[in-house]
């Protein structure tokens, strides 16, 4: 019997998307019903206080920050230890009940929505920083540790964890989605910054992907199991501990913003900065519509134009020389209104506004919710995809401010949409799909950092091809033969 949640998903999905979804989905295994005796077994495993069937708790855990409709689990379990996670996974596997890991719920592709019901496993109570090895520039954390809290804890060590997706996400959730964000142009994504993971497999076994306690910077020992789980979006197991790289706090930071008449001028500047050999910490693009939203929401008065936000990290000696080199490139490409900020409060205000862009865009239409999508292409193709996307947005007569991590060729469109407006929703979904297909045609990807989740399944086969999809299915089947882990996401 197919769950009511999955039937609702089918009703909202276009025929083309569903056919694509089924083309790479392995044989559907009917999820088992969650019975009162099964819930009693969960209570025995984790304690009465850690199991909830209340409608409010289930609603809270049935969605992330995306536009996707809520799909509530049948029961929410709060784990306090890896042993409890293992017990819950084993129970779900033996009874063929869907199991969805849940961290901070800040994703943007419906990665935690319980399409087939089942158990949502909330790991936020596991919030210990296990160890910090300052001399080795690494630390180990449990899955409930949040990004901002970790950096507050690290402050006195002179170290920080720079991966910054904007939201205050959990570190292990960032591993699960292969998060990145504004600092990725210098520090990379989660894939480059995870040394080891502790993962509970669907059958309850516990694995350390690089070997228990291992935290060396490189290894040639066997398959790269660590990066198999980074970006797996909860479809292969539950990440219960992560060992990650740390970095020294920069001696000096310079933030800057400048404006251009055209997208081409802005992107040409980005390419020339990258070619100059200057290691930028942040290199962000905001289009004119994003600046309008930025000004209204964060009470700025910036020129409404195609804009670059930049940040430099490094030793005080020489950093201003780097800034002056970039200043020359900006002027060479027609950049206007360059402003520089070294004061910490002003820099934080500037970047706080940038990170709140999703909500600034939503505020443009009262009562709307954000529909956010992202793609990534080689930098040289950025002007083409940005201009084409702006054309589609204008033709559809919808709002779609753009923000880009242009140093990586990654950009986002934030559509503020009233979800009861079916016509506008259809237009936005169409633009999102066309963006994905265009990016792939230009040797890029349909998602640079949001992930596939439930929202981009129909784009994945084109991206990696039928053989690639078959290999993903084989890997999934190896780790999760009963198909319990986060069904309906990526390929399951």
């Amino acid at each position: 019997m197919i769950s009511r949640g999955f039937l609702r998903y089918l009703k909202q999905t276009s025929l083309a998307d569903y056919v694509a979804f089924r083309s790479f989905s392995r044989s559907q295994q009917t999820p088992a019903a969650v019975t009162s005796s099964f819930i009693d077994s969960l209570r025995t495993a984790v304690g009465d206080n850690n199991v909830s069937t209340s409608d409010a708790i289930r609603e809270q855990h049935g969605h992330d920050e995306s536009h996707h409709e809520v799909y509530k689990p049948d029961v929410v379990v709060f784990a306090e230890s890896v042993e409890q996670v293992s017990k819950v996974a084993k129970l779900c596997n033996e009874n063929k009940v869907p199991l969805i890991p849940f961290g901070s719920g800040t994703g943007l592709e419906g990665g935690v929505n319980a399409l087939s019901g089942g158990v949502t496993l909330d790991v936020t109570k596991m919030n210990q920083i296990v160890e910090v090895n300052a001399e080795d520039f690494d630390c180990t954390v449990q899955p409930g540790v949040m990004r901002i809290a970790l950096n507050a804890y690290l402050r006195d060590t002179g170290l920080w964890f720079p991966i910054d997706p904007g939201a205050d996400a959990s570190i292990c959730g960032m591993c699960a989605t292969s998060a990145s964000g504004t600092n990725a142009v210098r520090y990379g994504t989660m894939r480059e910054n995870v040394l080891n993971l502790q993962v509970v497999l669907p059958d309850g076994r516990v694995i350390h992907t690089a070997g228990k306690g291992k935290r060396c910077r490189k290894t040639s020992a066997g398959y790269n199991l660590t990066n198999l789980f980074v970006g797996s979006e909860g479809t292969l197991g539950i990440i219960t501990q992560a060992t990650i790289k740390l970095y020294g706090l920069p001696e000096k930071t310079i933030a800057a913003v400048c404006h251009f008449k055209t997208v081409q001028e802005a992107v040409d500047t980005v390419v020339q900065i990258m070619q100059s050999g200057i290691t930028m910490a942040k290199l962000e693009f905001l289009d004119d519509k994003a600046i309008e939203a930025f000004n209204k929401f964060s009470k700025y008065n910036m020129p409404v134009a195609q804009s670059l936000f930049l940040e430099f990290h490094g030793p005080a000696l020489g950093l201003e020389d780097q800034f002056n080199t970039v200043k020359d490139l900006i002027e060479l490409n027609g950049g206007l209104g360059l402003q520089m900020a070294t004061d910490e409060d002003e820099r934080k205000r500037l970047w706080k506004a940038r990170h709140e862009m999703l909500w600034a865009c939503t505020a443009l239409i009262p009562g709307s919710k954000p529909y956010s999508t992202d793609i990534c292409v080689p930098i040289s193709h950025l002007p083409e995809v940005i201009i084409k996307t702006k054309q589609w947005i204008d033709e559809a007569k919808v709002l779609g401010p753009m923000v880009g991590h242009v140093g990586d060729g990654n950009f986002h469109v934030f559509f503020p949409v009233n979800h009861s407006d079916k016509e506008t929703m259809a237009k936005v979904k169409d633009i999102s799909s066309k963006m994905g297909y265009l990016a792939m045609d230009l040797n890029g990807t349909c998602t640079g950092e949001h992930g596939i989740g439930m929202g981009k399944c129909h784009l994945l086969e084109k991206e990696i091809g039928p053989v690639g999809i078959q290999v993903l299915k084989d890997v999934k089947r190896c780790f999760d033969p009963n198909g319990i882990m986060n069904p309906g996401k990526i390929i399951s």
Side-chain angles (χ1 to χ4, degrees):
M1 180 177 177
I2 299 175
S3 73
R4 284 178 292 178
F6 189 68
L7 286 174
R8 280 191 290 130
Y9 171 66
L10 296 185
K11 288 178 181 178
Q12 297 174 70
T13 306
S14 70
L15 178 60
D17 285 1
Y18 176 61
V19 170
F21 174 86
R22 291 292 289 128
S23 73
F24 61 76
S25 178
R26 62 189 175 82
S27 299
Q28 292 293 314
Q29 298 199 30
T30 304
V34 174
T35 63
S36 58
S37 62
F38 176 75
I39 293 175
D40 288 341
S41 298
L42 292 173
R43 295 186 191 280
T44 300
V46 301
D48 287 349
N49 293 335
N50 284 329
V51 177
S52 176
T53 56
S54 81
D55 194 63
I57 298 296
R58 291 165 53 223
E59 168 96 12
Q60 175 191 349
H61 287 81
H63 66 94
D64 55 15
E65 297 289 350
S66 71
H67 63 280
H68 296 287
E69 184 185 348
V70 174
Y71 292 91
K72 294 183 289 188
D74 296 294
V75 57
V76 177
V77 174
F78 297 85
E80 296 182 350
S81 67
V82 66
E83 291 77 18
Q84 289 186 350
V85 173
S86 177
K87 289 177 182 178
V88 172
K90 189 174 182 180
L91 278 169
C92 289
N93 195 55
E94 289 174 347
N95 290 276
K96 295 184 173 57
V97 171
L99 177 60
I100 303 99
F102 189 97
S104 58
T106 55
L108 291 168
E109 286 296 345
V112 299
N113 299 34
L115 292 178
S116 301
V119 175
T120 287
L121 182 62
D122 186 314
V123 292
T124 54
K125 289 186 177 182
M126 299 170 63
N127 58 5
Q128 298 301 305
I129 297 172
V130 178
E131 64 176 355
V132 175
N133 302 293
E135 296 86 353
D136 296 323
F137 293 83
D138 67 62
C139 71
T140 300
V141 300
Q142 290 185 330
V145 174
M146 309 297 284
R147 178 182 63 84
I148 293 176
L150 174 62
N151 278 327
Y153 183 90
L154 292 170
R155 188 174 295 121
D156 291 340
T157 69
L159 303 175
W160 72 315
F161 183 65
I163 310 305
D164 179 2
D168 186 19
S170 65
I171 298 298
C172 289
M174 290 166 64
C175 294
T177 57
S178 190
S180 51
T182 56
N183 285 319
V185 67
R186 175 164 185 163
Y187 300 99
T189 72
M190 290 302 291
R191 289 191 188 278
E192 292 80 48
N193 285 283
V194 180
L195 300 173
N196 201 352
L197 295 172
Q198 180 189 71
V199 179
V200 175
L201 300 176
D203 61 6
R205 290 179 296 164
V206 180
I207 182 177
H208 295 264
T209 56
K212 189 172 182 179
K214 303 299 187 292
R215 50 187 179 85
C216 47
R217 288 301 175 111
K218 63 185 196 179
T219 175
S220 297
Y223 301 137
N224 190 341
L225 293 178
T226 301
N227 273 341
L228 179 61
F229 285 94
V230 174
S232 62
E233 301 186 41
T235 62
L236 301 179
I238 306 105
I239 299 173
T240 51
Q241 188 170 281
T243 301
I244 55 176
K245 297 178 184 178
L246 302 177
Y247 296 81
L249 284 165
E251 180 184 354
K252 184 174 182 178
T253 300
I254 298 175
V257 61
C258 59
H259 314 282
F260 298 86
K261 294 179 181 178
T262 69
V263 173
Q264 187 70 56
E265 290 175 343
V267 176
D268 284 347
T269 304
V270 170
V271 172
Q272 291 168 22
I273 290 172
M274 302 295 286
Q275 290 174 337
S276 72
I278 294 174
T279 306
M280 300 296 302
K282 299 179 181 180
L283 195 45
E284 300 283 295
F285 169 81
L286 279 72
D287 78 344
D288 50 350
K289 299 300 182 184
I291 294 294
E292 284 184 6
F294 183 96
N295 285 340
K296 290 178 182 178
F297 191 77
S298 299
K299 296 179 174 58
Y300 270 79
N301 188 30
M302 286 188 182
V304 177
Q306 318 306 322
S307 304
L308 291 182
F309 283 49
L310 310 94
E311 190 163 285
F312 305 75
H313 293 174
L317 185 64
L319 200 63
E320 287 196 21
D321 289 339
Q322 292 184 22
F323 172 79
N324 287 331
T325 299
V326 171
K327 177 182 177 183
D328 291 341
L329 293 173
I330 290 169
E331 292 174 350
L332 182 66
N333 287 287
L336 304 168
L338 177 64
Q339 294 183 325
M340 167 181 157
T342 55
D343 177 74
E344 183 177 2
D345 289 340
E346 179 59 21
R347 287 190 289 105
K348 285 184 175 179
R349 179 172 174 256
L350 186 71
W351 286 106
K352 180 175 184 291
R354 160 62 185 87
H355 287 317
E356 291 176 345
M357 183 54 62
L358 182 66
W359 312 119
C361 294
T362 305
L364 294 173
I365 300 180
S368 67
K369 292 183 179 179
Y371 186 122
S372 177
T373 189
D374 82 310
I375 59 173
C376 186
V377 295
I379 296 174
S380 61
H381 288 304
L382 266 176
E384 181 178 350
V385 295
I386 290 174
I387 290 168
K388 190 64 177 177
T389 300
K390 288 177 77 68
Q391 178 185 329
W392 288 329
I393 291 170
D394 291 342
E395 289 172 351
K397 295 181 172 57
V398 297
L399 274 176
M402 293 183 185
V403 172
H405 312 309
V406 286
D408 299 317
N410 180 205
F411 84 96
H412 310 254
V413 181
F414 298 143
F415 297 99
V417 185
N418 188 321
H419 286 204
S420 63
D421 184 349
K422 302 301 181 184
E423 181 181 354
T424 301
M425 280 294 291
K427 290 178 180 179
V428 167
K429 288 182 179 180
D430 180 59
I431 294 170
S432 178
S433 287
K434 288 193 293 190
M435 286 172 60
Y437 287 122
L438 177 60
M440 290 184 283
D441 287 342
L442 296 173
N443 305 116
T445 174
C446 65
T447 175
E449 59 185 23
H450 290 183
I452 296 296
M454 61 182 279
K456 292 191 173 180
C457 292
H458 63 290
L459 297 171
L460 188 60
E461 183 167 0
K462 176 178 173 59
E463 178 146 333
I464 66 172
V467 175
I469 289 293
Q470 185 58 54
V471 171
L472 291 187
K473 289 165 62 177
D474 292 343
V475 171
K476 170 73 171 173
R477 187 176 297 110
C478 174
F479 283 93
D480 184 21
N482 289 327
I484 67 164
M485 292 304 307
N486 209 5
K489 316 300 166 54
I490 304 182
I491 59 167
S492 57

